[in-house]
Amino acid sequence: MKELTRARRLVAGARVAVVAPSGPVPEERLQAGLDILRGWDLDPVVGPHVLDRHGRFDYLAGTDADRAADFRAAWCDPAVDAVLCARGGYGAQRMADLLDWDALRAAGPKVFLGFSDVTALHEAFATRLGFGTLHGPMAAGIDFVKNAHAQEHLRATLFEPESVRTITSAGRALVQGRATGVLLGGCLSLLAAELGTPHARPSASGGLLCLEDVGEQPYRLDRCLTQLLRAGWFEGVAGVLLGSWERCGPYDRVRDLVLDRLGGLGVPIAEEFGFGHGEGALTIPFGVRAELDATTGTLTLETPALT
């Protein structure tokens, strides 16, 4: 697995576009997030359809075409230095095939941030564009708006990425050892749902795979892991990092499940690396090569997340 092209870090005055590729966005949280971004001396602009709600399917932030149009316009605007997702939910897969990937590639790399349902776009950016992305708190997300730890780690990643090249686990090694690879992954259920689509990579071979999820009972997580295993998607993976598993049942059961399904891979597996849907979520750069030391519980980036 090759490293992906990194975007440039942000500087004071940088323009950042906020888009809603998935679910509807609460206006009060959006405004709170914009205030935080302005406090960082950024210039946030909001896509025309960010506050839309689909007329028939109220779990979508407007129509697929409008969400895709907002995304394309933001990414292809040369005055925009970063595209930040407002929230996750559901809907990114519905609009992914409506994006003009040639136009996005021609616009070049820039900061792209999101997680959860945005996992589908992280995968597409890797396979279709070769651009690295940031898996982290979103502009109208509860964690970003209310948690200082999440805010500070994201701010440091955006402005001073060399200061956050080591991330320490709060848990332990499920399988001890060290491994080096390119970071990838995201929400487990989305990775499973991407199988067979035009944007899915054939496997996680050579990668350090980050996994997390929310609101999925253990048997559903089992199904996703088993599906990926049966598809050969884990073949050649270098190591596995686990993030948060909010509302996924007793964590001991989740831990046992991961060991049952992935322990046989014979690669290092470490838990509680602080990314995902949990409180105070950290920002993880996808497409960057890193070393996982599961025994000591550290992830060390070989290069900063942004140039």
Side-chain angles (χ1 to χ4, degrees):
M1 186 174 295
K2 296 181 180 179
E3 293 180 84
L4 303 178
T5 301
R6 292 176 294 155
R8 291 185 178 182
R9 71 187 65 198
L10 300 185
V11 297
R15 175 164 291 183
V16 297
V18 178
V19 297
S22 304
V25 179
E27 184 172 6
E28 66 280 3
R29 287 220 310 261
L30 174 63
Q31 294 305 323
L34 295 176
D35 286 344
I36 293 168
L37 295 173
R38 294 187 186 103
W40 294 352
D41 290 327
L42 294 173
D43 176 23
V45 294
V46 179
H49 300 285
V50 165
L51 292 175
D52 284 5
R53 190 177 291 261
H54 196 285
R56 288 181 297 154
F57 309 122
D58 62 2
Y59 49 81
L60 297 172
T63 67
D64 299 340
D66 285 343
R67 299 196 317 279
D70 276 8
F71 196 100
R72 182 190 187 282
W75 193 269
C76 294
D77 185 344
V80 169
D81 300 295
V83 175
L84 315 181
C85 295
R87 62 155 295 188
Y90 171 76
Q93 287 182 302
R94 288 180 54 126
M95 57 146 269
D97 294 328
L98 301 180
L99 292 172
D100 185 339
W101 292 98
D102 291 335
L104 299 187
R105 185 181 303 105
K110 56 183 67 177
V111 172
F112 175 58
L113 173 73
F115 77 107
S116 193
D117 187 59
V118 181
T119 296
L121 296 178
H122 286 305
E123 286 290 281
F125 267 65
T127 59
R128 298 296 295 271
L129 304 181
F131 295 167
T133 54
L134 298 179
H135 182 280
M138 293 176 280
I142 293 176
D143 204 43
F144 176 66
V145 170
K146 296 187 176 181
N147 191 284
H149 186 52
Q151 292 172 17
E152 178 52 31
H153 194 263
L154 174 58
R155 190 208 62 78
T157 301
L158 294 175
F159 290 94
E160 304 162 1
E162 63 281 339
S163 70
V164 284
R165 287 178 59 180
T166 299
I167 296 173
T168 303
S169 164
R172 59 184 175 87
L174 305 189
V175 178
Q176 296 193 13
R178 298 171 66 176
T180 300
V182 175
L183 289 161
L184 77 155
C187 190
L188 171 60
S189 55
L190 265 294
L191 293 171
E194 279 292 289
L195 284 177
T197 70
H199 310 300
R201 63 183 95 211
S203 76
S205 179
L208 290 178
L209 178 60
C210 301
L211 293 177
E212 63 91 32
D213 217 314
V214 62
E216 300 284 357
Q217 291 301 305
Y219 82 91
R220 295 169 65 104
L221 299 176
D222 189 327
R223 180 165 59 202
C224 291
L225 290 169
T226 300
Q227 182 182 9
L228 291 165
L229 280 167
R230 295 180 70 205
W233 200 79
F234 288 110
E235 292 180 7
V237 69
V240 178
L241 298 84
L242 305 180
S244 61
W245 302 92
E246 291 291 305
R247 305 195 308 277
C248 290
Y251 180 63
D252 287 349
R253 292 187 66 193
V254 176
R255 179 193 288 124
D256 290 345
L257 172 60
V258 171
L259 273 173
D260 177 80
R261 296 284 74 198
L262 304 186
L265 296 174
V267 302
I269 302 176
E271 65 176 355
E272 295 187 42
F273 264 95
F275 59 87
H277 289 81
E279 185 176 349
L282 303 181
T283 302
I284 304 290
F286 287 166
V288 173
R289 185 171 296 277
E291 181 183 63
L292 167 65
D293 188 332
T295 305
T296 61
T298 54
L299 175 71
T300 305
L301 308 180
E302 290 190 0
T303 57
L306 304 172
T307 62

